[in-house]
Amino acid sequence: MVSHEHQGTTSSALTRLSVSSARLFDVPPKGYAHLLGLAPEHLNDDLCRTPAATGIRIAELTTVHTPWTELSVALAQQSDPGTFGVWDYLITSAPTPLEGLRDAATYIAIVADSSTDALRITEDGAHVTISHVNQADLTYEAACAIRGYALGLYQRRLSEAAQRRLVPVRVTLAAKAPRRHEALAELYGTRTIDFEAPDTSITFLASELNTPTPHAQPGLSAVLRRHAEQTLATAIPLHDWLDLFRTALASAHEEAAATLAAVARRMAVSTRTLQRRLDEHGTTWNNEVESLRRARITRLLHDTDLGIDAIAARSGYADARALRRAVQRWYGTTPAALRRSGRATDRRVSVPGATLGA
């Protein structure tokens, strides 16, 4: 389900949250504004995935200015419903909070770096324990802040699903006890917090998480899981300069301005420099434009009922004949056959009762 390309990146929504908290604690922007993924066109685009290293650096800078407990609380307080898009709704719209949590664990890659972060659920009779695993290379204070925040986020989403505040039976944190932790006690709703624990977890009564979610709609979870798959499939991971170029090219293409000069202007470089950088990355302008068109045409054939003429016009081809030649060159088939094959695959994936991402 999760592409290798997604690893090492997190959602732009999570990065926006980190930037917002850094501003809240007056962290000087000069320490992080230059980092990859923080340009407005990337930070504000939910399709973009920011390098995990960018979020890590912002967290490290922020914990220099404020105790890690304060950062945990600030992040949780700013994580309103819908902050993380479909991932949030997987939890809050499931038949029970526990079922929603299971879906959230499956699709944790929508929010976090799946190569370092995981959400684990342990059911033990009367209790359900939710553990957050983080193996990223962070400073100690930043790691504590992220762990504390993760538990606060899980509790908030589960409470939103239940439409009442759920109070945990126990909270454990793999962190040294701070001098003061009133803010954490208020965040979790309990003073039963064990510090210096071997893992980071929050435990609830199983009966509370298995209670039917108010206003849950039959079949909605399956729709949300398909949307989660699509979210990951269309995401644009930003790892290096080439990723930045491709987001600029895609943006220009959407505005019918995908010329070399237009994209160079968006990236604030000359056309000669842009071509040189593409050559350094083992590709060319023509190759990149064709790859973009191929992906766009394939998506339009599979996901829409647009005619071939309309798809050709949207993809930068002179006419349907040129588009047919391109599809034949790429796939050795016709646009109509490619559309049928995509629809057949969708029908197999959408069999009633099937669980996506299992």
Side-chain angles (χ1 to χ4, degrees):
M1 178 189 67
V2 180
S3 168
H4 177 72
E5 292 182 351
H6 292 86
Q7 295 185 352
T9 66
T10 65
S11 73
S12 58
L14 185 60
T15 308
R16 290 196 297 271
L17 196 65
S18 298
V19 170
S20 177
S21 295
R23 291 171 178 164
L24 182 66
F25 293 110
D26 296 321
V27 179
K30 66 180 181 180
Y32 60 83
H34 63 285
L35 298 174
L36 185 61
L38 296 191
E41 63 268 26
H42 304 133
L43 186 62
N44 298 321
D45 186 346
D46 286 334
L47 284 178
C48 291
R49 291 183 61 86
T50 312
T54 293
I56 287 172
R57 183 56 181 158
I58 296 172
E60 291 175 339
L61 291 169
T62 306
T63 51
V64 171
H65 287 74
T66 191
W68 68 264
T69 54
E70 299 297 327
L71 177 55
S72 293
V73 172
L75 289 167
Q77 289 176 340
Q78 294 180 90
S79 298
D80 293 329
T83 296
F84 299 115
V86 67
W87 187 85
D88 286 343
Y89 301 122
L90 285 169
I91 302 176
T92 59
S93 302
T96 67
L98 182 56
E99 289 180 67
L101 191 66
R102 291 182 184 132
D103 283 342
T106 299
Y107 294 100
I108 191 68
I110 289 177
V111 178
D113 177 6
S114 62
S115 67
T116 59
D117 290 80
L119 190 172
R120 294 178 182 168
I121 304 167
T122 304
E123 300 177 57
D124 182 17
H127 298 102
V128 175
T129 297
I130 305 153
S131 302
H132 180 80
V133 180
N134 180 279
Q135 299 175 324
D137 185 14
L138 310 129
T139 62
Y140 176 77
E141 294 288 322
C144 292
I146 290 173
R147 293 166 187 160
Y149 162 57
L151 298 189
L153 176 63
Y154 301 153
Q155 182 195 20
R156 184 169 181 184
R157 290 296 179 268
L158 290 169
S159 295
E160 287 155 0
Q163 294 192 2
R164 61 187 177 85
R165 190 175 193 193
L166 300 181
V167 177
V169 175
R170 182 177 62 257
V171 174
T172 68
L173 281 166
K176 289 182 180 179
R179 291 183 179 181
R180 303 175 64 89
H181 63 272
E182 289 84 355
L184 288 180
E186 183 177 348
L187 174 63
Y188 304 135
T190 180
R191 298 190 66 84
T192 308
I193 304 174
D194 297 330
F195 294 95
E196 300 185 45
D199 58 11
T200 294
S201 67
I202 187 166
T203 301
F204 295 94
L205 291 174
S207 58
E208 292 192 316
L209 298 192
N210 283 305
T211 299
T213 300
H215 311 305
Q217 300 179 36
L220 181 56
S221 288
V223 173
L224 291 171
R225 285 193 290 270
R226 287 196 291 272
H227 185 39
E229 295 277 2
Q230 183 69 10
T231 297
L232 288 169
T234 57
I236 305 171
L238 302 179
H239 292 289
D240 55 24
W241 180 89
L242 188 56
D243 293 326
L244 297 180
F245 162 77
R246 286 170 175 164
T247 61
L249 175 60
S251 178
H253 193 276
E254 289 292 334
E255 299 172 14
T259 65
L260 179 63
V263 174
R265 282 195 299 272
R266 286 171 183 258
M267 300 188 71
V269 297
S270 68
T271 56
R272 181 175 297 181
T273 297
L274 180 56
Q275 289 175 312
R276 186 179 71 251
R277 293 298 301 274
L278 288 170
D279 182 62
E280 291 170 355
H281 283 79
T283 186
T284 66
W285 168 262
N286 288 337
N287 285 344
E288 292 298 319
V289 170
E290 182 160 6
S291 293
L292 177 66
R293 285 177 172 173
R294 180 170 64 246
R296 181 176 178 80
I297 288 168
T298 304
R299 185 169 66 251
L300 290 173
L301 286 170
H302 287 174
D303 299 341
T304 76
D305 293 318
L306 289 172
I308 303 303
D309 287 322
I311 292 177
R314 290 193 179 197
S315 305
Y317 283 96
D319 51 35
R321 182 182 302 177
L323 186 147
R324 291 190 179 94
R325 286 198 298 268
V327 171
Q328 181 66 39
R329 184 172 68 254
W330 297 331
Y331 297 109
T333 188
T334 65
L338 184 61
R339 170 169 274 169
R340 287 194 298 271
S341 68
R343 297 292 170 81
T345 299
D346 287 344
R347 286 194 294 272
R348 289 195 295 272
V349 171
S350 302
V351 172
T355 301
L356 289 166

